[in-house]
Amino acid sequence: QVQLVESGGGLVQPGGSLRLSCAASGSIFSINMGWYRQAPGKERELVASLTSGGSTNYADSVKGRFTISRDNAKNTVYLQMNSLKPEDTATYYCNAKGTLRSGRSFGSWGQGTQVTVSS
């Protein structure tokens, strides 16, 4: 299967920036990756996604502030978060789905990383 390891969360003041990273390991043929977040008492929501072909999708609430990118050689996806707001506070989860070299499909979640935006 595919394992995801996240890093980069933390505490930041409003208006600040953070960059999240998610590295995927396994026998991967193709992979689509994305970031979701879940705040206390709320449902998990898509923040941004990036397909193997390079197409991106962003939640309206983060457009213009967050940027998703990837290093294909490392199967790593990044989420650059700028102009952070208190409402961005949540646990951020990396998600990956795609195809293994065996031809089987896979889907995986990271363990989650906390982002807290507060003064």
Side-chain angles (χ1 to χ4, degrees):
Q1 269 292 0
V2 173
Q3 292 188 327
L4 304 178
V5 178
E6 303 163 352
S7 61
L11 172 65
V12 64
Q13 292 186 342
S17 298
L18 280 175
R19 189 175 84 151
L20 306 182
S21 300
C22 174
S25 61
S27 183
I28 299 167
F29 175 73
S30 68
I31 186 169
N32 303 305
M33 302 183 79
W35 290 94
Y36 289 71
R37 67 186 180 187
Q38 187 167 20
K42 295 188 176 181
E43 293 187 355
R44 190 172 297 189
E45 62 175 358
L46 174 69
V47 177
S49 64
L50 178 54
T51 70
S52 58
S55 297
T56 58
N57 184 38
Y58 294 93
D60 287 343
S61 60
V62 307
K63 284 180 180 177
R65 301 188 298 122
F66 291 10
T67 302
I68 190 169
S69 61
R70 65 192 289 169
D71 182 333
N72 288 327
K74 298 180 179 179
N75 280 328
T76 298
V77 68
Y78 305 96
L79 185 67
Q80 178 65 44
M81 305 184 293
N82 298 328
S83 301
L84 282 160
K85 304 175 181 179
E87 50 264 43
D88 294 317
T89 296
T91 301
Y92 284 69
Y93 296 91
C94 180
N95 173 264
K97 52 188 176 184
T99 307
L100 301 173
R101 290 197 179 98
S102 65
R104 296 185 65 179
S105 299
F106 71 90
S108 298
W109 288 94
Q111 78 280 7
T113 185
Q114 179 66 35
V115 172
T116 302
V117 185
S118 175
S119 55

